[in-house]
Amino acid sequence: MTEAAMESGGNPVSVSASAPPQALLERLKDYGQEDVFSLWDELSPDEKDLLVKDIENIDLPRIDRIIRCSFHSQGLPAAAIEPVPESCVSTVEERTMEEREKWWKMGMKAMAEGKFAVLLLSGGQGTRLGSSDPKGCFNIGLPSGKSLFQLQAERILCIQRLAAVTANEGAGIVPIQWYIMTSPFTDEATRKYFESHKYFGLEAEQVTFFQQGTIPCVSKDGRFIMETPYRVAKSPDGNGGVYTALKYSRLLEDMNSRGIKYVDCYGVDNALVRVADPTFLGYFIDKGVSAAAKVVRKAYPQEKVGVFVRRGKGGPLAVVEYSELDPSLCSAVNQETGRLRFCWSNVCLHMFSLDFLNQVANGLEKDSIYHLAEKKIPSIHGHTMGYKLEQFIFDAFPYTPSTALFEVVREEEFAPVKNANGANFDTPDSARLLVLRLHTRWVVAAGGFLTHSVPLYATGVEVSPLCSYAGENLEAICRGRTFHAPCEISF
């Protein structure tokens, strides 16, 4: 007899050497998943124990509902799509200086009042970058050598200080809560990285880590794939798993208890992300919507990016992946604006009200529809074709009664780090150059000069986030001074 495993009801289940636990086997049969015990007789007593515990940790009714709903939804005709109405978008050229100043002040006031939090999606490893570390630990090669995590932490430090000066009337700095979603593959390494770097100057109490869930990988007929004879193959449930994870970790309640009303949500792999952007927050508050997204214009019709659309006549805004968009629609032009009809790219920069996050967490769980990603999955039969089930952050948008889009300039706010150097796009090298070029423009605008021993298009200067959030307050540091690129400008 091996050590007793626990049935979900809380009663001990003896793991017999001769047969699987009967009650567990019956439950698996109810869901057509009894094949997980097909190699039972070949397992050692310890392996049998591991298998039983693995199955007991799976919420079988929930997973069965997700598999059935997700398989059923595949192939169903989606509502016809229409372009996003012009009234839903704040474009760069239409934005006045007065509006920008108003929104900046509104955002600063909400931050100074403690009504705002930041939510980072950081479940991925840097596998495509050639690293097994969490992607946020990656150093893209800036003069400072700072990682993505450090750049983001220092932007939070900077904006906290600015909010205290701008809106807090001497009451001191109000810490911005930073919620960081990890995955089982990155959680421990992420926590240790922050601890070893003393949270990059933030208070440990303002940083909260939580894990996204995993979900069993399934075959094309919906059966669990076995990674080993005693373990079900599982994968993270996608960045849209954040809603369920917030609910089950009780962090939505935590936010509510802190008086947080607005949550800025973004992905880790953007070297230019304006974490906690007060202008975007002020715009969100001013519009009174429950969800908003920063968007950039598609660079060219066939660019491989998801775009915002309207689903159905008068329906909600949603994101359609580039692979789902008919090629003729990709190239269609709006004759009035001269833009592509479907031009607003989703770049994973979102703002949500806390009320809406609660609504989505319950709604997505009830609907249980996940995207099926066909992948080669490691299994006891070698790599086998099957499905990983994922939700995406933008799956929330159809639930909102009101969404606003906020256009930003790609070169100022979007430097993705997705592929290893040597690839054609979205590499550490391309992101580093975008950062250096933007910061060089800031320095020149503030009256600084540059010398350089390599062509300027291949280099530049880096401005520490502790000096400036978005190019402001640099005159005192830069005016009349000459900097030799590449270098970091800091206090």
Side-chain angles (χ1 to χ4, degrees):
M1 227 26 122
T2 66
E3 176 188 346
M6 294 299 290
E7 204 173 7
S8 59
N11 301 316
V13 177
S14 295
V15 179
S16 161
S18 57
Q22 189 60 34
L24 185 56
L25 181 59
E26 291 301 324
R27 280 172 53 222
L28 285 164
K29 283 180 178 176
D30 288 343
Y31 300 111
Q33 300 291 0
E34 65 273 16
D35 287 357
V36 297
F37 283 138
S38 61
L39 297 175
W40 178 266
D41 293 337
E42 299 171 26
L43 301 181
S44 70
D46 282 349
E47 288 171 339
K48 289 175 178 175
D49 207 30
L50 287 170
L51 176 57
V52 167
K53 286 177 177 168
D54 192 38
I55 301 302
E56 287 290 354
N57 281 327
I58 296 172
D59 184 341
L60 287 170
R62 175 177 178 261
I63 298 301
D64 179 68
R65 187 173 72 246
I66 287 170
I67 293 168
R68 283 188 294 102
C69 290
S70 303
F71 272 63
H72 178 69
S73 72
Q74 299 304 303
L76 290 179
I81 61 171
E82 296 181 350
V84 173
E86 293 291 313
S87 60
C88 293
V89 190
S90 167
T91 61
V92 171
E93 68 256 21
E94 289 170 349
R95 223 169 282 152
T96 65
M97 183 62 75
E98 290 75 25
E99 282 179 322
R100 289 204 297 268
E101 287 179 0
K102 177 178 77 168
W103 293 334
W104 174 273
K105 287 175 181 171
M106 287 176 77
M108 285 296 196
K109 185 171 185 289
M111 287 180 193
E113 291 171 350
K115 294 179 179 176
F116 173 76
V118 174
L119 174 57
L120 168 58
L121 309 175
S122 183
Q125 294 166 289
T127 314
R128 280 197 280 171
L129 301 169
S131 167
S132 60
D133 292 332
K135 201 181 275 189
C137 300
F138 199 79
N139 165 10
I140 63 171
L142 289 167
S144 66
K146 290 173 182 174
S147 65
L148 294 168
F149 279 143
Q150 183 168 355
L151 293 172
Q152 293 162 23
E154 290 183 355
R155 284 173 194 148
I156 292 173
L157 277 166
C158 182
I159 209 70
Q160 281 180 176
R161 194 177 65 238
L162 283 173
V165 171
T166 307
N168 216 9
E169 296 170 355
I173 289 174
V174 175
I176 293 172
Q177 295 298 317
W178 194 12
Y179 297 88
I180 300 177
M181 184 177 80
T182 64
S183 70
F185 310 104
T186 64
D187 187 74
E188 185 180 3
T190 302
R191 291 171 189 263
K192 284 182 175 173
Y193 188 75
F194 272 77
E195 286 168 11
S196 66
H197 289 84
K198 296 185 169 53
Y199 297 85
F200 307 105
L202 294 166
E203 301 293 328
E205 297 74 36
Q206 74 186 100
V207 183
T208 302
F209 301 98
F210 67 104
Q211 283 191 54
Q212 71 185 106
T214 59
I215 204 159
C217 303
V218 296
S219 62
K220 295 192 175 180
D221 60 0
R223 293 178 183 264
F224 294 165
I225 292 173
M226 299 301 292
E227 184 178 336
T228 71
Y230 51 89
R231 184 168 60 241
V232 175
K234 303 181 193 74
S235 63
D237 54 6
N239 60 17
V242 66
Y243 305 112
T244 303
L246 284 170
K247 178 181 177 181
Y248 284 114
S249 57
R250 305 183 79 96
L251 288 178
L252 295 173
E253 295 170 29
D254 178 74
M255 291 178 187
N256 187 57
S257 70
R258 294 175 186 273
I260 290 164
K261 295 193 176 334
Y262 316 109
V263 181
D264 179 23
C265 179
Y266 69 99
V268 73
D269 54 3
N270 178 358
L272 278 177
V273 59
R274 287 192 183 174
V275 188
D277 179 359
T279 307
F280 185 37
L281 174 57
Y283 167 76
F284 179 80
I285 295 169
D286 193 34
K287 292 296 172 191
V289 292
S290 51
K294 286 185 173 180
V295 291
V296 300
R297 295 185 198 202
K298 280 180 80 168
Y300 50 93
Q302 278 70 43
E303 187 182 12
K304 293 182 175 180
V305 290
V307 292
F308 276 92
V309 303
R310 171 170 262 175
R311 279 272 185 214
K313 200 79 178 166
L317 299 196
V319 174
V320 169
E321 288 290 38
Y322 62 88
S323 54
E324 300 169 24
L325 198 60
D326 186 279
S328 64
L329 294 179
C330 286
S331 306
V333 173
N334 180 330
Q335 298 303 323
E336 287 183 26
T337 64
R339 294 192 298 263
L340 294 171
R341 290 182 72 218
F342 297 94
C343 71
W344 301 120
S345 303
N346 171 48
V347 288
C348 198
L349 300 170
H350 303 311
M351 191 80 69
F352 301 118
S353 70
L354 184 61
D355 289 344
F356 179 62
L357 285 176
N358 274 297
Q359 181 192 335
V360 172
N362 294 319
L364 280 176
E365 185 68 16
K366 181 170 63 70
D367 291 350
S368 299
I369 294 173
Y370 284 59
H371 303 266
L372 302 180
E374 191 172 354
K375 305 273 186 182
K376 284 185 178 176
I377 294 163
S379 79
I380 52 178
H381 306 297
H383 279 78
T384 183
M385 291 308 290
Y387 293 119
K388 292 182 177 181
L389 291 102
E390 301 173 314
Q391 287 184 319
F392 300 135
I393 191 77
F394 54 73
D395 289 341
F397 283 96
Y399 291 83
T400 173
S402 52
T403 301
L405 303 185
F406 187 83
E407 185 195 4
V408 296
V409 178
R410 183 187 292 252
E411 292 77 15
E412 294 180 358
E413 298 200 37
F414 188 48
V417 185
K418 296 189 181 294
N419 304 308
N421 286 328
N424 292 329
F425 54 88
D426 297 351
T427 64
D429 279 351
S430 66
R432 183 183 74 253
L433 279 174
L434 284 165
V435 174
L436 293 177
R437 285 171 187 165
L438 174 65
H439 291 191
T440 297
R441 294 196 295 274
W442 290 355
V443 169
V444 172
F449 302 94
L450 259 66
T451 59
H452 45 96
S453 45
V454 296
L456 191 55
Y457 66 78
T459 188
V461 292
E462 173 191 2
V463 175
S464 167
L466 299 175
C467 288
S468 181
Y469 179 79
E472 77 291 329
N473 300 334
L474 285 174
E475 287 80 4
I477 302 171
C478 298
R479 185 168 299 285
R481 288 185 62 192
T482 299
F483 302 93
H484 185 76
C487 69
E488 183 197 20
I489 297 172
S490 56
F491 285 122

